[in-house]
Amino acid sequence: MTSHYRWRRPLTLIAAGVALVLAGCSVESDDPPASSSPTSNAFPAPPAPAISPGVTADSIKIGFVYPDLEVVKQYVDIDHGDYQATFKALVDKVNAAGGIHGRKIIPVYGAVDVISPAGAQETCVKLTQDEKVFAVLGSLNAEDAMCYVQTHKTALVGGDLTAERYAKAQAPWVSDLRGGDELADGIELFTADKALAGKKLAVVAYRDDQASVDKVVLPALKRLQIPVTETGILDADISDAAAVSQQFNVFIQKFRAAGVDTVLLVGGSQLQFPAELQKTDYRPRLMFAGTSQAGAYLASPGEHDPAILTGATALGLVTNYSEPANAACVATLEAALPALTGKLVDPATVPSGQPTPGTSESVACRYLTLFQAITEKAGKDLTYQSFQQAAFSLGSLQVPTYRDKATYSRETPHGAIPPRLFTFDPAKENFFPAAS
């Protein structure tokens, strides 16, 4: 069974802190200059000294990072289940089996206050400086990964691993997510069967995704000889709803005037742009760079106009929640936490507003499985150097919940799970993998 889309960053647009002053927007016309070649395949290995923070003869201290959803209950009802209990149950299973090369995992938990602007930084400092863990595992938002692998030179498993960020890393880093770089491989799927022939295309992105646009998206479109009529980069703080709305409306007016009939949405633009579109009668065809953000628009509070997504497509990783590696994690959790029995199902199949303990299960299972595979391959002499070399030689791996296998090498620290094209089904109001 394949599921529809993966929830990765459901809190992207939750209002947090004081809104910043509108910084102005940027709209460029007539296919703006792009870098001469994509950088998505350029992965210089970060330094990996022969040090072993948090490692003793019989233990490995690991940090587990996750969003503290209790702090957002006053704004939105999101329940991913108990991340700490989930991580602990899976760690206990590893430890009960003898650990990794005789070393038991000592878990340290880092719940991120997603409302506080300093929440991610505070958790990073706690895990890296106060606890001095060997590695940090979990889901991270965009640039948050850099606090670990660049600022505090701590190994990381998870986060959006792009070529640009990886080039700045100062510690081993592996993930299953490419943060938009997968567009270099997947953008051809948008153009299959000449789907963009004769179309007037606009590209929209949030400022944090400018590098993906300049170094991945625009060069790929140029290589495919797909002209870009307009680009729009959202400069407003994404938590400032009024500023975001104002800027997107500037884009919409420009696109409409230019005759744009197709819009490619990248990164943080993918949820709010269609929400602004539905306030108008302008209906360009939408292409989402990520299925999780496309799904977030469908699940976000408020009424939705299905016509907004007529003909919409999206790129994503096809999941299979019932695949064997994930099924083993589910069995472990149900044995350790009987209250979860029957409740650990694919989050994409759960109606909006209902608890999705499968989300915390998926995160914990994926990253602990990946960490364990690398650490076991690294051998008894566990250092950052041996960990990195093991990751580079890991090869094919079934990362839990994915249909397609990952491939880990020096050139693919992100696993290179192939993106697939998804199409919107108006009857079911969801995105599903397109027929091969």
Side-chain angles (χ1 to χ4, degrees), residues 15 20 48 86 120-121 152 164 177 191 227 233 238 246 249 268 367 404:
L20 299 181
T86 299
Q121 176 76 16
H152 296 289
E164 183 180 38
L177 305 173
T191 67
I233 304 299
I238 206 163
Q246 179 181 341
N249 274 290
Y367 296 131
D404 299 305

Side-chain angles (χ1 to χ4, degrees), residues 3 8 19 27 31 42 65 145 160-161 169 180 187 189 202 217 222 239 258 287 344 367 404 415-416 429:
S3 62
R8 290 205 292 111
V27 179
D31 205 353
V65 63
D160 288 334
L161 194 161
I187 206 160
L189 299 174
V217 177
K222 184 176 182 180
S239 67
M287 302 189 304
L344 294 171
Y367 296 131
D404 299 305
E429 295 195 8

